[in-house]
């Protein structure tokens, strides 16, 4: 019986169904390579060993049966013998050092030291470990298997960690660290052998790389293989150098892993340099490379499918860019018409999603976000038509410069390429994003939340149905399986930008799971500051709107800062009463808690996304600015004041994507800003910031128009660098 997901279940959409078997895992063998155990200098890597022991302790305490197979004795022994020889060398010896040592001697010296370190580390964690040294010869004894299982199972019942290593000091092989013969020939093959002999549920092999790559990991063209399929990968993989310190390398690990998998023991090769690889494997996260005896029968082409989907979107986007501006505009107008024509069907599918979400007990704020209210389709169609009427951004010239006579430089807009948008709850986001992608000439891959599956499917069908064959319906791909997300996030050579729209957890985990640039924000901690000179009637309107209009929105007010002179004022008292009438729960910072006797907030860095907010008093506008820059999320912040100087100071010094004066934070929206729609709001500093519309989905292209010029060391070239009018 498995432990059911160590450290909590994984909610991220990138979790992979091929790792679902880990929920039934109980007995685990962990093989630790020499490159993990030791550092570059040959000394023990105490940090990595400590992390390993911490993870083993966690598994042990949660009921897993853990067996370690550890390398490193030869490396540790060699380092110790080198040190001993060095300190006993004469000056003449030092001039011509001889540091070659017999491998068996190194193993004999290093084994005791290695085990002493393990014993010390485990003892500090209140874990008991034991040492078992075996040789190839032991397994030739027909009775050895039974004796081995009896001993190991007895230790596991006592929650003792068995530590295996090959007894290289008395191995019968001529060169125990080179001779690949016998029942096992290194600790990789020993781990695979033990996995079968001891009926393990999983073998984890920790290496100095993240897993098996299609080529040497140092090669930028090499890609990690998450599920090894022999028919697919066996002849395609090229191996690099062997381990810098151990006997084998990745080739030895692959051979051992494949052997164990054929005997029914799943194997994951993962990084031993990461501090939580073992825990992540047992959570079912898609890290490292999995070997499984059923891998051939799985949908093994998922990686290819994900790539094909992205490549198809790119090909279609290039055909879209070839169309005239009017032809692209017509596609958007056709989509708007199609949405209105199918409103009944769309609403019906959305109502089914909403009903299912309510039955499943989803939070009211999530249900509210996924509901397409009456008039929503009409509003979406209107926004699409507004985008269609915008100036065509593709090939728009930003700058023209005469570099030299008859040599003209131009900088123009061009599409980014392929966008991957991962969003939660809101099916209307699909429509907005699709229309912006078409207007900007980009290919698009969309993954919506499972709670709005029907709504997303019908909207995608309606939208792609309006795309002409000359472009291709694969311009916009709808990702329906969470398994595909992990594969797509690996395609940094095909997908150009990822935009996650959703919770802080979603955004943070997407950023951690991909090398593709990510545009978005992880928090929406928006502030409203009421200055001492504020018109309190205006302040009341703005604050109530910022908090109550749509409390689940990322641009809703979460913290209300008030000038200290307004404490006990009639205007503030009236505002607080109105907030209470609306059902807003107020939490106080240290000062507000003391003065107003409201519940004390645990942290200023809190996004409620509900009918609640934090209130705190500050000394002046500079204190408000400092508070926002320290605790805010760089999203949207507002000052309410009649003091123009204070307002300008606030607008210039608050370091956020959007900063307002005397206006609700709820205005921070692409549609309200006249962008037609938005794919999201970015709080980053690279590429785009604030609500991201069409221009945020574009990059630039440099064009040079010449008449046969050559550089030739700049001889004879007269640079003019003259600005030219845009055409």
């Amino acid at each position: 019986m498995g432990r059911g997901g160590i450290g909590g279940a994984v909610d991220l959409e990138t979790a992979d169904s091929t790792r679902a078997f880990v929920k039934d895992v109980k007995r685990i063998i962990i093989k630790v390579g020499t490159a993990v155990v030791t550092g570059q200098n040959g000394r023990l890597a105490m940090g990595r060993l400590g992390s390993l022991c911490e993870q083993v302790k966690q598994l042990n305490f949660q009921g897993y049966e853990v067996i370690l197979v550890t390398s490193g004795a030869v490396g540790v022994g060699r380092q110790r013998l080198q040190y001993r020889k060095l300190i006993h060398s004469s000056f003449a010896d030092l001039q011509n050092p001889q540091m070659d040592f017999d491998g068996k001697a190194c193993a004999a010296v290093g084994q005791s030291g290695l085990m002493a370190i393990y014993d010390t580390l485990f003892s500090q964690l209140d874990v008991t470990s034991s040492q078992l040294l075996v040789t190839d010869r032991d397994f030739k004894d027909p009775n050895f298997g039974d004796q081995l299982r009896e001993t190991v199972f007895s230790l596991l019942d006592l929650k003792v960690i068995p530590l295996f290593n090959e007894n290289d000091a008395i191995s019968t092989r001529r060169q125990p660290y080179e001779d690949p013969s016998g029942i096992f020939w290194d600790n990789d093959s020993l781990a695979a052998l033990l996995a079968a002999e001891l009926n393990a549920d999983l073998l984890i092999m920790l290496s100095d790389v993240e897993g098996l790559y299609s080529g040497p990991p140092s090669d930028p063209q090499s890609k990690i293989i998450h599920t090894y399929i022999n028919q697919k990968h066996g002849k395609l993989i090229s191996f690099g150098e062997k381990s810098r310190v151990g006997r084998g390398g990745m080739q030895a690990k692959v051979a051992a892993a494949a052997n164990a998998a054929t005997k029914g023991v799943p194997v994951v090769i993962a990084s031993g340099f990461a501090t939580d690889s073992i825990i992540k494997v047992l959570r079912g996260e898609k890290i490292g490379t999995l070997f499984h005896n059923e891998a051939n029968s799985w949908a093994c082409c998922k990686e290819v499918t994900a790539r094909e989907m992205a490549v198809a979107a790119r090909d279609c986007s290039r055909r879209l860019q070839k169309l005239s501006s009017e032809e692209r505009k017509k596609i958007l107008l056709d989509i708007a018409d199609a949405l209105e024509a199918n409103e009944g069907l769309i609403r019906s599918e959305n109502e089914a999603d909403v009903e299912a979400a309510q039955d499943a007990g989803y939070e009211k704020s999530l249900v509210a976000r996924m509901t397409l209210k009456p008039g929503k389709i009409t509003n979406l169609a209107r926004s699409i038509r507004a985008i269609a009427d915008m100036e065509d951004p593709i090939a728009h010239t930003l700058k023209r410069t005469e570099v030299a006579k008859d040599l003209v430089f131009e900088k123009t807009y061009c599409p980014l390429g392929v966008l991957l948008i991962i969003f939660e709850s809101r099916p209307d986001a699909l429509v907005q994003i699709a229309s912006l992608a078409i207007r900007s000439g980009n290919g698009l891959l969309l993954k919506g939340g499972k709670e709005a599956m029907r709504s997303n499917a019908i909207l995608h069908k309606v939208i792609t149905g309006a795309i002409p064959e000359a472009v291709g319906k694969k311009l916009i791909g709808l990702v329906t399986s969470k398994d595909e997300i992990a594969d797509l996030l690996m395609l940094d050579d095909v997908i150009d930008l990822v935009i996650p729209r959703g919770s802080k957890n979603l955004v943070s985990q997407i950023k951690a799971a991909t090398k593709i640039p990510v545009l978005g924000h992880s928090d929406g901690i928006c502030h409203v500051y009421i200055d001492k000179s504020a018109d309190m009637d205006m302040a009341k309107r703005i604050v109530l709107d910022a908090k109550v209009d749509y409390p689940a929105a990322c641009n809703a007010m979460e913290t209300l800062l008030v000038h200290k002179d307004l404490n006990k004022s009639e205007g503030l008292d009236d505002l607080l009463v109105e907030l209470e009438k609306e059902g807003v729960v107020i939490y106080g910072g240290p000062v507000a808690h003391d003065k107003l006797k409201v519940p004390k907030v645990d942290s200023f860095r809190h996004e409620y996304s509900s009918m609640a907010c934090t209130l705190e008093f500050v000394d002046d506008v500079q204190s408000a600015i400092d508070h926002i820059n320290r605790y805010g999320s760089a999203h949207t912040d507002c000052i309410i004041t009649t003091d123009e100087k204070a307002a300008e100071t606030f607008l210039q010094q608050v370091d956020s994507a959007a900063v307002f004066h005397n206006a609700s934070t709820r205005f921070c929206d692409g549609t309200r800003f006249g962008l037609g729609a938005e794919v999201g709001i970015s709080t980053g500093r690279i590429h785009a910031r604030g609500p991201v519309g069409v221009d945020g989905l574009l990059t630039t292209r440099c064009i040079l128009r010449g008449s046969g010029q050559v550089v030739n060391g700049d001889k004879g070239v007269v640079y003019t660098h003259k600005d030219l009018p845009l055409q």
Side-chain angles (χ1 to χ4, degrees):
M1 179 177 177
R3 307 297 96 192
I6 184 168
V10 176
D11 296 324
L12 180 60
E13 293 278 304
T14 56
D16 184 40
S17 62
T18 61
R19 308 294 178 100
F21 70 89
V22 298
K23 70 181 185 300
D24 298 318
V25 166
K26 180 178 181 181
R27 184 171 298 152
I28 310 155
I29 293 181
I30 301 170
K31 190 272 172 179
V32 192
T34 304
V36 177
V37 173
T38 61
Q40 291 285 348
N41 59 3
R43 295 179 181 273
L44 288 171
M46 297 303 297
R48 292 198 288 269
L49 283 174
S51 174
L52 168 69
C53 293
E54 286 273 7
Q55 292 180 84
V56 170
K57 172 214 170 176
Q58 187 175 347
L59 299 180
N60 191 38
F61 279 26
Q62 294 203 7
Y64 289 90
E65 296 178 349
V66 185
I67 301 163
L68 275 181
V69 178
T70 180
S71 300
V74 173
V76 171
R78 180 177 291 111
Q79 193 275 330
R80 288 190 170 190
L81 289 173
Q82 286 174 344
Y83 175 74
R84 295 297 303 172
K85 186 167 185 177
L86 185 64
I87 63 173
H88 291 291
S89 295
S90 66
F91 181 77
D93 292 334
L94 292 174
Q95 300 305 304
N96 186 28
Q98 299 293 325
M99 292 295 181
D100 293 332
F101 300 101
D102 178 69
K104 298 188 180 209
C106 292
V109 172
Q111 187 64 40
S112 60
L114 179 64
M115 298 312 299
I117 292 296
Y118 274 116
D119 185 64
T120 300
L121 291 172
F122 277 127
S123 295
Q124 293 295 317
L125 298 170
D126 197 25
V127 174
T128 303
S129 61
S130 60
Q131 178 181 2
L132 294 94
L133 295 176
V134 295
T135 65
D136 181 83
R137 184 178 62 249
D138 295 328
F139 287 89
K140 295 177 181 178
D141 185 337
N143 298 318
F144 179 71
D146 292 336
Q147 296 169 356
L148 175 71
R149 283 185 286 274
E150 181 180 349
T151 300
V152 172
F153 294 165
S154 176
L155 291 170
L156 294 175
D157 286 341
L158 295 169
K159 299 184 75 66
V160 174
I161 306 298
L163 276 82
F164 279 89
N165 194 355
E166 181 182 4
N167 193 351
D168 290 329
I170 59 171
S171 171
T172 56
R173 281 199 291 275
R174 295 182 304 277
Q175 294 289 339
Y177 47 96
E178 293 177 0
D179 182 13
S181 62
I183 297 175
F184 69 89
W185 49 91
D186 58 14
N187 278 323
D188 292 324
S189 55
L190 172 60
L193 177 61
L194 290 172
E197 290 282 346
L198 300 175
N199 303 316
D201 301 312
L202 175 65
L203 168 59
I204 300 175
M205 306 179 78
L206 298 180
S207 178
D208 55 353
V209 292
E210 296 175 359
L212 175 62
Y213 284 75
S214 56
S218 58
D219 184 349
Q221 299 302 314
S222 298
K223 302 295 179 183
I224 193 167
I225 297 168
H226 284 295
T227 302
Y228 179 85
I229 299 162
N230 189 51
Q231 291 90 326
K232 178 180 176 183
H233 301 118
K235 296 181 180 180
L236 297 179
I237 298 170
S238 60
F239 294 96
E241 297 179 357
K242 290 188 175 184
S243 168
R244 61 177 171 81
V245 282
R247 287 182 221 161
M250 187 55 70
Q251 193 165 6
K253 288 176 176 56
V254 169
N259 181 39
T262 59
K263 296 177 180 177
V265 182
V267 183
V268 175
I269 299 176
S271 171
F273 286 15
T275 58
D276 55 356
S277 291
I278 300 170
I279 302 302
K280 284 184 175 180
V281 168
L282 289 168
R283 285 177 179 163
E285 295 189 32
K286 194 172 184 179
I287 68 165
T289 301
L290 170 66
F291 294 72
H292 197 287
N293 64 349
E294 296 180 5
N296 291 330
S297 63
W298 292 338
C300 60
C301 57
K302 273 193 299 181
E303 289 180 72
V304 176
T305 300
R307 176 172 291 276
E308 286 180 347
M309 185 183 298
V311 169
R314 170 158 286 176
D315 292 342
C316 291
S317 73
R318 288 171 176 163
R319 292 197 290 270
L320 176 66
Q321 294 165 34
K322 293 178 182 178
L323 299 183
S324 68
S325 178
E326 286 301 313
E327 288 172 321
R328 286 193 294 270
K329 178 178 178 178
K330 186 178 185 303
I331 294 174
L332 289 171
L333 295 177
D334 289 345
I335 289 173
D337 293 342
L339 287 173
E340 290 180 329
N342 290 277
E343 180 174 3
L345 179 58
I346 295 168
R347 290 283 304 280
S348 175
E349 292 295 282
N350 181 248
E351 287 167 2
D353 279 335
V354 171
E355 183 179 351
Q358 290 171 334
D359 292 343
Y362 284 113
E363 293 182 3
K364 291 182 179 180
S365 60
L366 184 145
V367 175
R369 288 196 296 272
M370 64 183 287
T371 303
L372 295 175
K373 298 177 181 178
K376 186 65 175 179
I377 298 299
T378 300
N379 290 336
L380 287 171
R382 185 183 300 119
S383 70
I384 293 174
R385 293 186 179 107
I387 293 171
D389 288 335
M390 294 172 62
E391 181 183 1
D392 188 2
I394 300 177
H396 176 74
T397 302
L398 300 171
K399 181 179 178 64
R400 293 182 73 241
T401 302
E402 181 189 81
V403 177
K405 188 177 185 301
D406 297 328
L407 186 63
V408 177
F409 164 80
E410 298 175 359
K411 178 174 283 190
T412 65
Y413 270 143
C414 67
L416 285 170
V418 177
L419 315 175
L420 171 59
I421 317 294
I422 303 169
F423 59 99
E424 296 176 337
S425 310
R426 293 178 52 189
D428 59 315
L430 184 150
V431 179
Q432 297 174 7
I433 295 165
S435 58
L436 288 171
I438 291 172
R439 197 66 178 114
S440 58
N442 287 291
L444 181 62
L445 302 174
L446 292 161
K447 175 64 178 79
K450 61 182 179 181
E451 65 279 354
M453 180 174 60
R454 296 180 183 87
S455 305
N456 293 332
I458 187 60
L459 287 169
H460 177 260
K461 183 178 180 180
V462 170
I463 291 171
T464 55
I467 298 175
E469 291 298 327
V471 174
K473 302 186 187 307
K474 292 182 180 180
L475 174 72
I476 301 174
L478 183 64
V479 180
T480 57
S481 169
K482 65 182 181 181
D483 297 345
E484 292 174 296
I485 287 295
D487 296 325
L488 289 166
L489 290 175
M490 298 295 171
L491 300 179
D492 56 297
D493 60 327
V494 183
I495 297 174
D496 300 286
L497 184 68
V498 180
I499 304 179
R501 290 183 55 160
S503 66
K504 174 183 177 180
N505 188 49
L506 172 72
V507 176
S508 298
Q509 293 194 36
I510 291 297
K511 285 183 176 180
T514 186
K515 296 178 181 178
I516 305 170
V518 177
L519 186 148
H521 70 276
S522 57
D523 285 306
I525 305 174
C526 302
H527 296 73
V528 174
Y529 165 58
I530 304 177
D531 193 36
K532 64 180 179 180
S533 69
D535 178 329
M536 291 307 294
D537 288 333
M538 177 193 293
K540 182 167 67 173
R541 292 196 308 273
I542 291 174
V543 170
L544 286 171
D545 182 80
K547 182 70 260 181
V548 177
D549 180 63
Y550 190 2
C554 63
N555 58 11
M557 182 192 76
E558 302 292 9
T559 299
L560 175 61
L561 300 177
V562 181
H563 194 285
K564 65 180 181 180
D565 291 353
L566 296 177
N567 182 30
K568 303 296 185 182
S569 67
E570 182 179 348
L572 179 61
D573 291 344
D574 185 37
L575 170 58
L576 297 181
V577 169
E578 288 299 318
L579 285 170
E580 186 177 352
K581 284 182 180 178
E582 293 289 345
V584 178
V585 178
I586 297 175
Y587 296 89
V591 179
H593 165 70
D594 181 59
K595 293 185 179 298
L596 301 180
K597 308 305 178 187
V598 294
K600 190 173 183 179
V601 71
D602 293 329
S603 171
F604 282 123
R605 291 191 179 95
H606 186 74
E607 184 177 9
Y608 296 94
S609 299
S610 63
M611 293 289 277
C613 70
T614 299
L615 186 150
E616 182 60 312
F617 291 105
V618 293
D619 292 339
D620 50 28
V621 65
Q622 191 59 53
S623 297
I625 293 168
D626 293 342
H627 179 102
I628 293 169
N629 288 340
R630 180 176 181 182
Y631 298 110
S633 60
H635 193 293
T636 306
D637 301 291
C638 160
I639 181 173
I640 305 172
T641 184
T642 59
D643 184 338
E644 292 296 329
K645 183 178 180 180
E648 197 60 31
T649 299
F650 187 91
L651 294 174
Q652 296 302 320
Q653 294 186 21
V654 169
D655 190 13
S656 295
V659 191
F660 297 170
H661 174 207
N662 290 347
S664 170
T665 57
R666 291 280 293 121
F667 277 107
C668 189
D669 175 86
T671 301
R672 295 188 179 102
F673 279 177
L675 304 179
E678 67 180 36
V679 295
I681 294 178
S682 171
T683 57
R685 300 175 184 279
I686 303 299
H687 180 64
R689 204 174 189 207
V692 180
V694 169
D695 60 344
L697 303 181
L698 300 168
T699 185
T700 57
R701 175 182 290 123
C702 294
I703 296 173
L704 191 65
R705 303 181 188 275
S707 55
Q709 290 88 345
V710 295
V711 173
N712 191 27
D714 288 327
K715 298 173 184 177
V717 180
V718 179
Y719 292 101
T720 57
H721 294 154
K722 183 194 305 180
D723 289 338
L724 298 176
L726 301 180
Q727 294 179 344

